[in-house]
Amino acid sequence: MPVRGVAIVLFLALINTAISWDRKWTYFVFAQQWPPSFCNDPSQMNHKCKGLPKPVKTWTVHGLWPNRGDVSVENCNDSWHFKWDKVKSLQKQLEASWPNLLEDTRPKGLWEHEWTAHGTCAASLEATNNEFRYFQKALSLNSVTALNPEKALEKAGITPSCTKAYSVNAIQKALMEYFRLDSPLKIICARQRHGRTMLKEIHMALSKTFNVTRMPGHSTSCCTPADEIYIFPISDMHCFQ
């Protein structure tokens, strides 16, 4: 068989494998993270956070994850390896909106992990059926005002500060109103070494047509309604450390 024919057969085999996984997941979790909280999270202290690259101005992508119920569907095709040349044209966008902030890890290691664990499962949809489309879709979602946590919080008067904290309920209320939901999104917190609780991530559920929908499962992680939550500014992300 000619080389081109072999390549086509292999590509079709990859797509068929991905399609077979489509029945195993029902929606996406779109996870966005606040970079200052990520770098102040004690769980990351065994790594070296290189600070925030100049292009990073707002919430960044953590991942776009196929889910079923409250369980992430992962590693759908171990033979479909990440190839940097497929997404190299997105490099500037990735560094600004989906950066690897840990300087003691492989620069492209985050993207490789996200593709292998989650992208191979998302490939069952035409909109995300290869490396380029998967990363491009997540980047485009992160740039849409309608899905921007910063805009949602700002609208409710919740802005980054080293000294002012907000309640979990106030944050959830702002997000639910902005995204027009009748149930909470999932928020992930982290505790700074000085004891302050930080808003680290926001997870929203997206349908397979990328519309915001109800998030199954628990609405908070590592914080409780009694906690006061800090959102440190990007311009002063360590806040008195």
Side-chain angles (χ1 to χ4, degrees), residues 156 172-181:
Q172 286 284 23
K173 183 174 183 291
L175 296 172
M176 288 170 62
E177 288 182 356
Y178 189 83
F179 297 119
R180 299 180 181 179
L181 292 169

Side-chain angles (χ1 to χ4, degrees), residues 26-209:
T26 54
Y27 70 98
F28 284 108
V29 168
F30 183 45
Q32 295 165 286
Q33 67 184 10
W34 185 242
S37 299
F38 176 85
C39 284
N40 279 287
D41 184 353
S43 71
Q44 302 297 339
M45 292 306 167
N46 58 328
H47 293 289
K48 187 175 181 181
C49 192
K50 58 188 173 186
L52 304 185
K54 287 184 178 180
V56 176
K57 304 295 184 186
T58 185
W59 289 77
T60 59
V61 179
H62 182 179
L64 182 63
W65 308 327
N67 266 54
R68 184 178 184 89
D70 59 358
V71 177
S72 179
V73 177
E74 300 180 3
N75 301 306
C76 294
N77 192 336
D78 292 337
S79 65
W80 197 341
H81 302 297
F82 176 75
K83 293 182 179 178
W84 170 243
D85 64 296
K86 301 292 185 182
V87 297
K88 188 175 182 180
S89 61
L90 299 172
Q91 182 171 355
K92 286 186 177 181
Q93 293 170 262
L94 288 166
E95 290 174 348
S97 298
W98 201 338
N100 179 3
L101 298 175
L102 301 178
E103 65 180 40
D104 58 343
T105 60
R106 292 185 298 112
K108 301 178 182 65
L110 171 63
W111 305 321
E112 180 180 352
H113 165 77
E114 292 299 321
W115 168 255
T116 302
H118 309 288
T120 54
C121 302
S124 60
L125 288 187
E126 184 177 356
T128 51
N129 68 359
N130 58 42
E131 291 100 315
F132 181 84
R133 287 185 173 182
Y134 173 72
F135 286 98
Q136 184 185 51
K137 173 55 73 173
L139 290 168
S140 69
L141 292 171
N142 197 61
S143 69
V144 174
T145 301
L147 301 181
N148 189 320
E150 186 169 17
K151 298 294 184 185
L153 297 172
E154 280 180 353
K155 189 173 181 179
I158 298 174
T159 57
S161 171
C162 285
T163 57
K164 187 173 182 180
Y166 304 91
S167 70
V168 171
N169 288 339
I171 291 171
Q172 286 284 23
K173 183 174 183 291
L175 296 172
M176 288 170 62
E177 288 182 356
Y178 189 83
F179 297 119
R180 299 180 181 179
L181 292 169
D182 60 5
S183 62
L185 286 78
K186 184 173 184 178
I187 64 172
I188 310 293
C189 301
R191 295 194 184 275
Q192 190 192 30
R193 284 176 295 177
H194 296 293
R196 289 178 290 188
T197 302
M198 306 170 293
L199 179 60
K200 182 182 176 184
E201 296 191 15
I202 291 173
H203 294 184
M204 66 180 72
L206 300 178
S207 68
K208 290 185 176 183
T209 54

Side-chain angles (χ1 to χ4, degrees), residues 13-28:
L14 291 172
I15 294 297
N16 286 334
T17 300
I19 290 172
S20 71
W21 279 92
D22 185 50
R23 296 186 297 273
K24 300 182 184 295
W25 64 277
T26 54
Y27 70 98
F28 284 108

